[in-house]
Amino acid sequence: MNPLDAICNVKRNDGVCVSNLKAAKPVDQAILQERPDVKIFLPFRFHVYKPKDLFQENTYNNFLVAPGGDHVLSLVDEISYSAPPAPPLSQMHELPPDLFCNGDNRPADCPVDCRCTHMIDVPLNSVVEIVLVDEVQAPNLSHPFHLHGTPYNVVGMGRSPDKNIKKINLKHALDLDRKGLLHRQYNLPPFKDTLAVPNNGYVILRLKADNPGYWLFHCHFIYHIVIGMGLVIHIGTQGDLPPVPPNFPRCGHHLPEIEPPYYPIQY
Ligand SMILES: [Cu+2]
């Protein structure tokens, strides 16, 4: 299932691409309209640190030591996800707005290892298309992206059809899309909630954003979550959520002398 090389457009006996499976139940026709309401391209990659940039006095930044010794951080759309100090679902009003960012709203002068609570807002009941592009391209590695809260339909996956392109990236994926070369298939695309993005390839997902809330969308390798390979898909608004129950357990800063609002802990 889902061969790493992502050769999905030719018949083969040694593997089946998820995009070639068929859903066992009907797919909402709205999901299959040619133009989704929201289209989100999410390239992801590793940033390789120079040790002198990583190990600075009075900092405590997350990183992973990859096989081979590189010290890396993960970026999705050039942002490394850092978890908020309290859950947005129940304590959004206590979180400073500048904690959050996304590709359209990056903090001013954010460095190459830009960190924030990466969050993308989508309207309730909109049809959302997400295109994940593997810019990591480490040998024999693919990233299983998992979405909480709602399944998605896999409408496309593969590698660039352009043989001159050795490595896919966001710019090339956008170019392919403009030229109609990112293939989508609308005949019963399968429902999934986790999908490995092909090495040096892309996947195209569709979903109906009908479950309001803050939903984590992340690579399921635990070490990759910790270094920021994820983001929050925020569906709807606070008004679409039921009120927080009285005396609901609270989380956040555990030092009793510090009152809300809670700010990110500075080390
Ligand atoms: Cu990963």
Side-chain angles (χ1 to χ4, degrees):
M1 177 64 77
N2 225 18
L4 196 68
D5 63 17
I7 296 171
C8 303
N9 53 356
V10 295
K11 221 173 162 43
R12 58 194 289 173
N13 297 322
D14 65 334
V16 176
C17 291
V18 168
S19 55
N20 293 339
L21 300 175
K22 293 281 177 281
K25 62 177 186 178
V27 179
D28 184 344
Q29 279 305 308
I31 287 181
L32 305 178
Q33 61 185 301
E34 194 177 328
R35 285 177 184 274
D37 302 316
V38 181
K39 195 164 171 175
I40 305 165
F41 276 77
L42 293 175
F44 57 95
R45 68 180 181 97
F46 285 149
H47 167 68
V48 181
Y49 276 109
K50 292 191 181 100
K52 72 172 175 51
D53 294 334
L54 180 60
F55 300 112
Q56 301 233 7
E57 266 182 40
N58 302 316
T59 64
Y60 190 80
N61 293 324
N62 291 347
F63 62 93
L64 175 158
V65 181
D70 279 344
H71 291 56
V72 302
L73 184 75
S74 178
L75 300 170
V76 178
D77 203 10
E78 299 300 297
I79 296 164
S80 184
Y81 178 82
S82 60
L89 190 65
S90 54
Q91 292 174 245
M92 189 63 179
H93 58 288
E94 293 167 19
L95 295 169
D98 64 1
L99 196 69
F100 301 92
C101 81
N102 56 45
D104 293 335
N105 300 287
R106 291 166 60 84
D109 304 320
C110 215
V112 65
D113 57 345
C114 190
R115 297 159 197 264
C116 73
T117 301
H118 190 172
M119 187 167 85
I120 295 178
D121 300 309
V122 299
L124 187 63
N125 293 321
S126 57
V127 172
V128 179
E129 179 175 281
I130 299 172
V131 182
L132 288 165
V133 181
D134 174 43
E135 294 185 345
V136 178
Q137 299 161 1
N140 300 317
L141 179 64
S142 65
H143 301 263
F145 268 79
H146 172 53
L147 177 63
H148 292 231
T150 182
Y152 46 70
N153 295 91
V154 181
V155 300
M157 67 190 306
R159 282 179 170 167
S160 173
D162 185 341
K163 293 284 169 283
N164 296 319
I165 294 294
K166 295 284 174 273
K167 293 186 171 190
I168 199 167
N169 57 27
L170 173 64
K171 189 169 169 295
H172 182 63
L174 288 167
D175 197 39
L176 289 174
D177 193 39
R178 262 192 302 273
K179 293 175 178 162
L181 295 174
L182 279 191
H183 181 66
R184 295 165 177 80
Q185 78 87 11
Y186 299 114
N187 179 17
L188 290 171
F191 292 85
K192 298 287 283 181
D193 61 25
T194 309
L195 180 68
V197 183
N199 187 294
N200 197 15
Y202 66 88
V203 298
I204 309 173
L205 317 173
R206 290 277 183 98
L207 61 98
K208 180 92 179 283
D210 55 5
N211 192 5
Y214 299 87
W215 301 110
L216 203 57
F217 184 41
H218 62 92
C219 173
H220 224 295
F221 288 135
I222 301 297
Y223 293 132
H224 294 182
I225 302 174
V226 173
I227 59 167
M229 196 178 276
L231 65 149
V232 171
I233 305 288
H234 176 211
I235 298 178
T237 64
Q238 214 63 20
D240 296 316
L241 297 168
V244 179
N247 303 318
F248 190 72
R250 295 173 51 77
C251 174
H253 208 302
H254 297 283
L255 299 175
E257 68 271 23
I258 295 179
E259 295 293 324
Y262 300 120
Y263 289 89
I265 299 160
Q266 300 291 332
Y267 289 97

